[in-house]
Amino acid sequence: QVQLVESGGGSVQAGGSLRLSCAASGRLDYTSCMAWFRQVPGKEREGVTSIDHSGRTTYADSVKGRFTISKDNAKNVLSLQMNSLKPEDTAMYYCASRRYCLVSSGSDLVEADYNYWGLGTLVTVSS
């Protein structure tokens, strides 16, 4: 019902910037609340940032002040502007969408609350 395709990953040096994009298609009513997660081998997926239908955003402490999430509703594209990148930002970045914005988990960065996922785009930050 929803398809998500990430792009924009690549290899950059520490301190550099990248902009990731996620093109969403399908049921628009299931793409009102979206997020970016990331994962490194051997570890669980980490919620990076989210945005809801009203534009309210949530950021993990590790990326506050450096990453910015935005959504172009007209084009159905979710973006992640990443500045001042650090080696610890190296990960596979995934775009995700959930059917309903209202959740009872108390957090907008819970993996289980999201229903649709892209295949990921790799970000590598070197020293």
Side-chain angles (χ1 to χ4, degrees):
Q1 294 179 312
V2 174
Q3 297 80 45
L4 305 173
V5 180
E6 304 97 335
S7 62
S11 180
V12 299
Q13 293 185 337
S17 299
L18 281 175
R19 186 175 179 87
L20 306 183
S21 295
C22 172
S25 60
R27 295 279 298 269
L28 293 180
D29 54 328
Y30 288 167
T31 61
S32 294
C33 292
M34 303 183 70
W36 289 96
F37 287 75
R38 64 186 182 186
Q39 186 173 29
V40 298
K43 300 186 67 176
E44 296 181 348
R45 285 184 188 176
E46 172 192 15
V48 178
T49 179
S50 67
I51 186 167
D52 71 7
H53 59 91
S54 68
R56 182 180 65 86
T57 58
T58 299
Y59 293 92
D61 289 340
S62 60
V63 305
K64 286 181 179 178
R66 299 188 299 119
F67 290 11
T68 302
I69 189 173
S70 62
K71 187 169 185 286
D72 186 333
N73 291 310
K75 297 181 179 180
N76 297 317
V77 174
L78 182 74
S79 298
L80 179 63
Q81 179 65 47
M82 304 185 295
N83 298 325
S84 301
L85 284 163
K86 304 175 180 179
E88 49 263 44
D89 294 319
T90 295
M92 185 72 75
Y93 283 73
Y94 297 91
C95 173
S97 179
R98 63 181 191 250
R99 294 172 182 168
Y100 312 109
C101 290
L102 181 63
V103 297
S104 59
S105 63
S107 173
D108 291 320
L109 297 175
V110 176
E111 180 181 1
D113 287 336
Y114 289 83
N115 307 104
Y116 307 102
W117 296 83
L119 296 179
T121 185
L122 182 63
V123 172
T124 302
V125 184
S126 60
S127 300

mmCIF file of all heavy atoms in Angstrom, residues 79-118:
data_model
loop_
_atom_site.group_PDB
_atom_site.id
_atom_site.type_symbol
_atom_site.label_atom_id
_atom_site.label_comp_id
_atom_site.label_asym_id
_atom_site.label_seq_id
_atom_site.Cartn_x
_atom_site.Cartn_y
_atom_site.Cartn_z
ATOM 1 N N SER A 79 12.803 14.264 3.484
ATOM 2 C CA SER A 79 14.220 14.575 3.365
ATOM 3 C C SER A 79 14.896 14.590 4.722
ATOM 4 O O SER A 79 14.256 14.811 5.752
ATOM 5 C CB SER A 79 14.426 15.931 2.685
ATOM 6 O OG SER A 79 13.922 15.932 1.369
ATOM 7 N N LEU A 80 16.189 14.359 4.692
ATOM 8 C CA LEU A 80 17.005 14.446 5.899
ATOM 9 C C LEU A 80 18.283 15.175 5.536
ATOM 10 O O LEU A 80 19.124 14.633 4.817
ATOM 11 C CB LEU A 80 17.323 13.060 6.458
ATOM 12 C CG LEU A 80 18.198 13.040 7.714
ATOM 13 C CD1 LEU A 80 17.486 13.742 8.870
ATOM 14 C CD2 LEU A 80 18.560 11.610 8.097
ATOM 15 N N GLN A 81 18.411 16.397 6.020
ATOM 16 C CA GLN A 81 19.623 17.174 5.822
ATOM 17 C C GLN A 81 20.559 16.867 6.972
ATOM 18 O O GLN A 81 20.222 17.091 8.137
ATOM 19 C CB GLN A 81 19.314 18.666 5.771
ATOM 20 C CG GLN A 81 20.529 19.559 5.586
ATOM 21 C CD GLN A 81 21.211 19.350 4.255
ATOM 22 O OE1 GLN A 81 20.541 19.316 3.224
ATOM 23 N NE2 GLN A 81 22.523 19.194 4.275
ATOM 24 N N MET A 82 21.738 16.371 6.661
ATOM 25 C CA MET A 82 22.713 15.978 7.666
ATOM 26 C C MET A 82 23.944 16.849 7.520
ATOM 27 O O MET A 82 24.622 16.818 6.496
ATOM 28 C CB MET A 82 23.079 14.499 7.524
ATOM 29 C CG MET A 82 21.881 13.560 7.573
ATOM 30 S SD MET A 82 22.363 11.812 7.535
ATOM 31 C CE MET A 82 23.078 11.732 5.893
ATOM 32 N N ASN A 83 24.227 17.622 8.557
ATOM 33 C CA ASN A 83 25.388 18.494 8.576
ATOM 34 C C ASN A 83 26.343 18.074 9.687
ATOM 35 O O ASN A 83 25.970 17.363 10.609
ATOM 36 C CB ASN A 83 24.965 19.950 8.784
ATOM 37 C CG ASN A 83 24.087 20.481 7.685
ATOM 38 O OD1 ASN A 83 24.242 20.133 6.515
ATOM 39 N ND2 ASN A 83 23.156 21.364 8.039
ATOM 40 N N SER A 84 27.564 18.552 9.593
ATOM 41 C CA SER A 84 28.582 18.259 10.605
ATOM 42 C C SER A 84 28.644 16.770 10.910
ATOM 43 O O SER A 84 28.646 16.348 12.068
ATOM 44 C CB SER A 84 28.295 19.059 11.884
ATOM 45 O OG SER A 84 28.287 20.446 11.627
ATOM 46 N N LEU A 85 28.713 15.983 9.874
ATOM 47 C CA LEU A 85 28.681 14.532 10.035
ATOM 48 C C LEU A 85 29.895 14.020 10.795
ATOM 49 O O LEU A 85 31.005 14.542 10.658
ATOM 50 C CB LEU A 85 28.592 13.860 8.672
ATOM 51 C CG LEU A 85 27.201 13.910 8.032
ATOM 52 C CD1 LEU A 85 27.284 13.606 6.546
ATOM 53 C CD2 LEU A 85 26.274 12.923 8.732
ATOM 54 N N LYS A 86 29.650 12.990 11.586
ATOM 55 C CA LYS A 86 30.672 12.361 12.395
ATOM 56 C C LYS A 86 30.823 10.902 11.985
ATOM 57 O O LYS A 86 29.886 10.303 11.466
ATOM 58 C CB LYS A 86 30.296 12.430 13.877
ATOM 59 C CG LYS A 86 30.042 13.827 14.404
ATOM 60 C CD LYS A 86 29.550 13.778 15.845
ATOM 61 C CE LYS A 86 29.282 15.168 16.386
ATOM 62 N NZ LYS A 86 28.786 15.111 17.788
ATOM 63 N N PRO A 87 31.980 10.302 12.232
ATOM 64 C CA PRO A 87 32.145 8.885 11.906
ATOM 65 C C PRO A 87 31.078 8.000 12.537
ATOM 66 O O PRO A 87 30.671 7.004 11.928
ATOM 67 C CB PRO A 87 33.537 8.562 12.452
ATOM 68 C CG PRO A 87 34.274 9.854 12.342
ATOM 69 C CD PRO A 87 33.252 10.908 12.690
ATOM 70 N N GLU A 88 30.612 8.350 13.727
ATOM 71 C CA GLU A 88 29.586 7.554 14.384
ATOM 72 C C GLU A 88 28.216 7.655 13.717
ATOM 73 O O GLU A 88 27.284 6.943 14.097
ATOM 74 C CB GLU A 88 29.469 7.919 15.871
ATOM 75 C CG GLU A 88 29.356 9.403 16.137
ATOM 76 C CD GLU A 88 30.687 10.039 16.491
ATOM 77 O OE1 GLU A 88 31.689 9.734 15.812
ATOM 78 O OE2 GLU A 88 30.737 10.832 17.449
ATOM 79 N N ASP A 89 28.071 8.537 12.733
ATOM 80 C CA ASP A 89 26.843 8.602 11.954
ATOM 81 C C ASP A 89 26.807 7.550 10.859
ATOM 82 O O ASP A 89 25.774 7.382 10.201
ATOM 83 C CB ASP A 89 26.679 9.988 11.321
ATOM 84 C CG ASP A 89 26.469 11.087 12.348
ATOM 85 O OD1 ASP A 89 25.728 10.859 13.323
ATOM 86 O OD2 ASP A 89 27.039 12.180 12.170
ATOM 87 N N THR A 90 27.908 6.871 10.647
ATOM 88 C CA THR A 90 27.972 5.837 9.624
ATOM 89 C C THR A 90 26.948 4.750 9.910
ATOM 90 O O THR A 90 26.927 4.171 11.001
ATOM 91 C CB THR A 90 29.374 5.231 9.570
ATOM 92 O OG1 THR A 90 30.306 6.224 9.156
ATOM 93 C CG2 THR A 90 29.425 4.065 8.590
ATOM 94 N N ALA A 91 26.081 4.481 8.945
ATOM 95 C CA ALA A 91 25.020 3.496 9.123
ATOM 96 C C ALA A 91 24.220 3.373 7.836
ATOM 97 O O ALA A 91 24.366 4.173 6.909
ATOM 98 C CB ALA A 91 24.088 3.898 10.266
ATOM 99 N N MET A 92 23.371 2.364 7.811
ATOM 100 C CA MET A 92 22.358 2.268 6.780
ATOM 101 C C MET A 92 21.163 3.072 7.273
ATOM 102 O O MET A 92 20.674 2.839 8.383
ATOM 103 C CB MET A 92 21.961 0.823 6.526
ATOM 104 C CG MET A 92 20.997 0.635 5.370
ATOM 105 S SD MET A 92 21.779 0.885 3.756
ATOM 106 C CE MET A 92 22.726 -0.641 3.613
ATOM 107 N N TYR A 93 20.714 4.006 6.476
ATOM 108 C CA TYR A 93 19.602 4.860 6.855
ATOM 109 C C TYR A 93 18.328 4.409 6.159
ATOM 110 O O TYR A 93 18.305 4.215 4.941
ATOM 111 C CB TYR A 93 19.903 6.317 6.511
ATOM 112 C CG TYR A 93 20.847 6.964 7.498
ATOM 113 C CD1 TYR A 93 22.194 6.628 7.510
ATOM 114 C CD2 TYR A 93 20.388 7.894 8.426
ATOM 115 C CE1 TYR A 93 23.059 7.192 8.426
ATOM 116 C CE2 TYR A 93 21.247 8.472 9.348
ATOM 117 C CZ TYR A 93 22.582 8.112 9.343
ATOM 118 O OH TYR A 93 23.449 8.680 10.254
ATOM 119 N N TYR A 94 17.274 4.251 6.953
ATOM 120 C CA TYR A 94 16.002 3.758 6.457
ATOM 121 C C TYR A 94 14.901 4.796 6.633
ATOM 122 O O TYR A 94 14.789 5.432 7.680
ATOM 123 C CB TYR A 94 15.578 2.492 7.202
ATOM 124 C CG TYR A 94 16.505 1.325 7.030
ATOM 125 C CD1 TYR A 94 17.559 1.118 7.909
ATOM 126 C CD2 TYR A 94 16.325 0.426 5.983
ATOM 127 C CE1 TYR A 94 18.415 0.044 7.759
ATOM 128 C CE2 TYR A 94 17.167 -0.654 5.823
ATOM 129 C CZ TYR A 94 18.212 -0.841 6.717
ATOM 130 O OH TYR A 94 19.051 -1.916 6.565
ATOM 131 N N CYS A 95 14.097 4.925 5.622
ATOM 132 C CA CYS A 95 12.892 5.733 5.675
ATOM 133 C C CYS A 95 11.734 4.842 6.116
ATOM 134 O O CYS A 95 11.643 3.685 5.700
ATOM 135 C CB CYS A 95 12.625 6.326 4.286
ATOM 136 S SG CYS A 95 11.065 7.207 4.102
ATOM 137 N N ALA A 96 10.863 5.371 6.959
ATOM 138 C CA ALA A 96 9.737 4.591 7.456
ATOM 139 C C ALA A 96 8.483 5.441 7.542
ATOM 140 O O ALA A 96 8.550 6.660 7.710
ATOM 141 C CB ALA A 96 10.060 4.013 8.836
ATOM 142 N N SER A 97 7.347 4.784 7.442
ATOM 143 C CA SER A 97 6.059 5.452 7.528
ATOM 144 C C SER A 97 5.102 4.601 8.342
ATOM 145 O O SER A 97 5.167 3.378 8.301
ATOM 146 C CB SER A 97 5.486 5.695 6.123
ATOM 147 O OG SER A 97 4.217 6.314 6.187
ATOM 148 N N ARG A 98 4.239 5.242 9.077
ATOM 149 C CA ARG A 98 3.235 4.501 9.831
ATOM 150 C C ARG A 98 1.834 4.923 9.396
ATOM 151 O O ARG A 98 1.601 6.053 8.967
ATOM 152 C CB ARG A 98 3.419 4.661 11.339
ATOM 153 C CG ARG A 98 3.266 6.058 11.908
ATOM 154 C CD ARG A 98 3.508 6.006 13.412
ATOM 155 N NE ARG A 98 3.133 7.243 14.084
ATOM 156 C CZ ARG A 98 3.999 8.096 14.618
ATOM 157 N NH1 ARG A 98 5.301 7.860 14.556
ATOM 158 N NH2 ARG A 98 3.565 9.191 15.221
ATOM 159 N N ARG A 99 0.902 3.988 9.518
ATOM 160 C CA ARG A 99 -0.461 4.222 9.059
ATOM 161 C C ARG A 99 -1.172 5.283 9.872
ATOM 162 O O ARG A 99 -1.931 6.079 9.328
ATOM 163 C CB ARG A 99 -1.264 2.919 9.115
ATOM 164 C CG ARG A 99 -0.787 1.842 8.164
ATOM 165 C CD ARG A 99 -1.509 0.555 8.429
ATOM 166 N NE ARG A 99 -1.043 -0.514 7.563
ATOM 167 C CZ ARG A 99 -1.332 -1.783 7.737
ATOM 168 N NH1 ARG A 99 -2.097 -2.156 8.761
ATOM 169 N NH2 ARG A 99 -0.864 -2.690 6.905
ATOM 170 N N TYR A 100 -0.928 5.281 11.162
ATOM 171 C CA TYR A 100 -1.646 6.176 12.056
ATOM 172 C C TYR A 100 -0.660 7.001 12.864
ATOM 173 O O TYR A 100 0.327 6.491 13.378
ATOM 174 C CB TYR A 100 -2.559 5.388 12.991
ATOM 175 C CG TYR A 100 -3.393 4.362 12.274
ATOM 176 C CD1 TYR A 100 -3.127 3.007 12.422
ATOM 177 C CD2 TYR A 100 -4.427 4.755 11.438
ATOM 178 C CE1 TYR A 100 -3.887 2.061 11.759
ATOM 179 C CE2 TYR A 100 -5.188 3.822 10.765
ATOM 180 C CZ TYR A 100 -4.913 2.477 10.927
ATOM 181 O OH TYR A 100 -5.666 1.548 10.259
ATOM 182 N N CYS A 101 -0.951 8.286 12.987
ATOM 183 C CA CYS A 101 -0.078 9.170 13.740
ATOM 184 C C CYS A 101 -0.215 8.979 15.245
ATOM 185 O O CYS A 101 0.745 9.171 15.986
ATOM 186 C CB CYS A 101 -0.359 10.627 13.381
ATOM 187 S SG CYS A 101 0.160 11.085 11.714
ATOM 188 N N LEU A 102 -1.401 8.614 15.684
ATOM 189 C CA LEU A 102 -1.645 8.431 17.106
ATOM 190 C C LEU A 102 -1.082 7.094 17.568
ATOM 191 O O LEU A 102 -1.466 6.038 17.074
ATOM 192 C CB LEU A 102 -3.141 8.502 17.401
ATOM 193 C CG LEU A 102 -3.550 8.339 18.861
ATOM 194 C CD1 LEU A 102 -2.972 9.471 19.703
ATOM 195 C CD2 LEU A 102 -5.061 8.299 18.980
ATOM 196 N N VAL A 103 -0.182 7.151 18.530
ATOM 197 C CA VAL A 103 0.393 5.953 19.123
ATOM 198 C C VAL A 103 0.362 6.103 20.631
ATOM 199 O O VAL A 103 0.287 7.211 21.167
ATOM 200 C CB VAL A 103 1.832 5.686 18.650
ATOM 201 C CG1 VAL A 103 1.860 5.440 17.154
ATOM 202 C CG2 VAL A 103 2.733 6.863 19.010
ATOM 203 N N SER A 104 0.439 4.978 21.309
ATOM 204 C CA SER A 104 0.404 4.983 22.762
ATOM 205 C C SER A 104 1.751 4.660 23.389
ATOM 206 O O SER A 104 1.849 4.523 24.606
ATOM 207 C CB SER A 104 -0.641 3.980 23.270
ATOM 208 O OG SER A 104 -0.355 2.671 22.827
ATOM 209 N N SER A 105 2.775 4.531 22.572
ATOM 210 C CA SER A 105 4.089 4.154 23.072
ATOM 211 C C SER A 105 4.781 5.279 23.825
ATOM 212 O O SER A 105 5.713 5.030 24.586
ATOM 213 C CB SER A 105 4.980 3.678 21.923
ATOM 214 O OG SER A 105 5.207 4.726 21.003
ATOM 215 N N GLY A 106 4.356 6.500 23.585
ATOM 216 C CA GLY A 106 4.983 7.638 24.238
ATOM 217 C C GLY A 106 6.181 8.189 23.506
ATOM 218 O O GLY A 106 6.833 9.120 23.987
ATOM 219 N N SER A 107 6.466 7.629 22.345
ATOM 220 C CA SER A 107 7.601 8.068 21.544
ATOM 221 C C SER A 107 7.272 7.917 20.066
ATOM 222 O O SER A 107 6.547 7.002 19.675
ATOM 223 C CB SER A 107 8.855 7.264 21.880
ATOM 224 O OG SER A 107 9.914 7.577 21.001
ATOM 225 N N ASP A 108 7.808 8.818 19.252
ATOM 226 C CA ASP A 108 7.622 8.745 17.805
ATOM 227 C C ASP A 108 8.772 8.029 17.109
ATOM 228 O O ASP A 108 8.818 7.992 15.880
ATOM 229 C CB ASP A 108 7.475 10.145 17.220
ATOM 230 C CG ASP A 108 6.178 10.810 17.614
ATOM 231 O OD1 ASP A 108 5.137 10.117 17.648
ATOM 232 O OD2 ASP A 108 6.192 12.028 17.884
ATOM 233 N N LEU A 109 9.676 7.468 17.888
ATOM 234 C CA LEU A 109 10.848 6.803 17.335
ATOM 235 C C LEU A 109 10.917 5.342 17.757
ATOM 236 O O LEU A 109 11.998 4.811 18.027
ATOM 237 C CB LEU A 109 12.116 7.549 17.740
ATOM 238 C CG LEU A 109 12.239 8.982 17.211
ATOM 239 C CD1 LEU A 109 13.475 9.653 17.781
ATOM 240 C CD2 LEU A 109 12.277 8.983 15.690
ATOM 241 N N VAL A 110 9.773 4.695 17.801
ATOM 242 C CA VAL A 110 9.691 3.282 18.135
ATOM 243 C C VAL A 110 9.525 2.492 16.842
ATOM 244 O O VAL A 110 8.557 2.677 16.109
ATOM 245 C CB VAL A 110 8.527 2.995 19.090
ATOM 246 C CG1 VAL A 110 8.397 1.494 19.345
ATOM 247 C CG2 VAL A 110 8.726 3.743 20.402
ATOM 248 N N GLU A 111 10.456 1.614 16.584
ATOM 249 C CA GLU A 111 10.472 0.859 15.332
ATOM 250 C C GLU A 111 9.173 0.101 15.091
ATOM 251 O O GLU A 111 8.657 0.088 13.966
ATOM 252 C CB GLU A 111 11.652 -0.110 15.331
ATOM 253 C CG GLU A 111 11.766 -0.944 14.072
ATOM 254 C CD GLU A 111 12.936 -1.901 14.120
ATOM 255 O OE1 GLU A 111 13.648 -1.913 15.147
ATOM 256 O OE2 GLU A 111 13.148 -2.636 13.135
ATOM 257 N N ALA A 112 8.626 -0.509 16.117
ATOM 258 C CA ALA A 112 7.442 -1.346 15.973
ATOM 259 C C ALA A 112 6.202 -0.560 15.569
ATOM 260 O O ALA A 112 5.226 -1.150 15.110
ATOM 261 C CB ALA A 112 7.177 -2.100 17.272
ATOM 262 N N ASP A 113 6.211 0.741 15.740
ATOM 263 C CA ASP A 113 5.060 1.560 15.387
ATOM 264 C C ASP A 113 4.981 1.859 13.895
ATOM 265 O O ASP A 113 3.957 2.357 13.429
ATOM 266 C CB ASP A 113 5.082 2.879 16.151
ATOM 267 C CG ASP A 113 4.736 2.714 17.621
ATOM 268 O OD1 ASP A 113 4.055 1.736 17.972
ATOM 269 O OD2 ASP A 113 5.153 3.577 18.418
ATOM 270 N N TYR A 114 6.022 1.565 13.170
ATOM 271 C CA TYR A 114 6.061 1.876 11.746
ATOM 272 C C TYR A 114 5.728 0.659 10.905
ATOM 273 O O TYR A 114 6.177 -0.456 11.186
ATOM 274 C CB TYR A 114 7.416 2.475 11.367
ATOM 275 C CG TYR A 114 7.567 3.869 11.926
ATOM 276 C CD1 TYR A 114 7.977 4.071 13.234
ATOM 277 C CD2 TYR A 114 7.242 4.983 11.152
ATOM 278 C CE1 TYR A 114 8.065 5.350 13.768
ATOM 279 C CE2 TYR A 114 7.332 6.256 11.673
ATOM 280 C CZ TYR A 114 7.741 6.436 12.984
ATOM 281 O OH TYR A 114 7.825 7.711 13.505
ATOM 282 N N ASN A 115 4.956 0.883 9.860
ATOM 283 C CA ASN A 115 4.403 -0.194 9.064
ATOM 284 C C ASN A 115 5.110 -0.421 7.732
ATOM 285 O O ASN A 115 5.076 -1.537 7.204
ATOM 286 C CB ASN A 115 2.926 0.075 8.781
ATOM 287 C CG ASN A 115 2.128 0.348 10.037
ATOM 288 O OD1 ASN A 115 1.785 1.510 10.319
ATOM 289 N ND2 ASN A 115 1.847 -0.689 10.802
ATOM 290 N N TYR A 116 5.723 0.614 7.196
ATOM 291 C CA TYR A 116 6.337 0.526 5.881
ATOM 292 C C TYR A 116 7.769 1.024 5.941
ATOM 293 O O TYR A 116 8.070 2.013 6.611
ATOM 294 C CB TYR A 116 5.540 1.332 4.858
ATOM 295 C CG TYR A 116 4.080 0.966 4.835
ATOM 296 C CD1 TYR A 116 3.134 1.775 5.462
ATOM 297 C CD2 TYR A 116 3.646 -0.195 4.211
ATOM 298 C CE1 TYR A 116 1.793 1.431 5.463
ATOM 299 C CE2 TYR A 116 2.308 -0.545 4.215
ATOM 300 C CZ TYR A 116 1.381 0.269 4.837
ATOM 301 O OH TYR A 116 0.058 -0.076 4.844
ATOM 302 N N TRP A 117 8.629 0.327 5.204
ATOM 303 C CA TRP A 117 10.055 0.613 5.244
ATOM 304 C C TRP A 117 10.672 0.590 3.858
ATOM 305 O O TRP A 117 10.280 -0.211 3.008
ATOM 306 C CB TRP A 117 10.785 -0.423 6.111
ATOM 307 C CG TRP A 117 10.380 -0.394 7.540
ATOM 308 C CD1 TRP A 117 9.291 -1.003 8.099
ATOM 309 C CD2 TRP A 117 11.057 0.282 8.597
ATOM 310 N NE1 TRP A 117 9.248 -0.741 9.449
ATOM 311 C CE2 TRP A 117 10.323 0.039 9.783
ATOM 312 C CE3 TRP A 117 12.216 1.057 8.665
ATOM 313 C CZ2 TRP A 117 10.712 0.559 11.015
ATOM 314 C CZ3 TRP A 117 12.603 1.572 9.888
ATOM 315 C CH2 TRP A 117 11.850 1.318 11.045
ATOM 316 N N GLY A 118 11.635 1.470 3.651
ATOM 317 C CA GLY A 118 12.434 1.409 2.452
ATOM 318 C C GLY A 118 13.557 0.412 2.634
ATOM 319 O O GLY A 118 13.733 -0.173 3.706
#
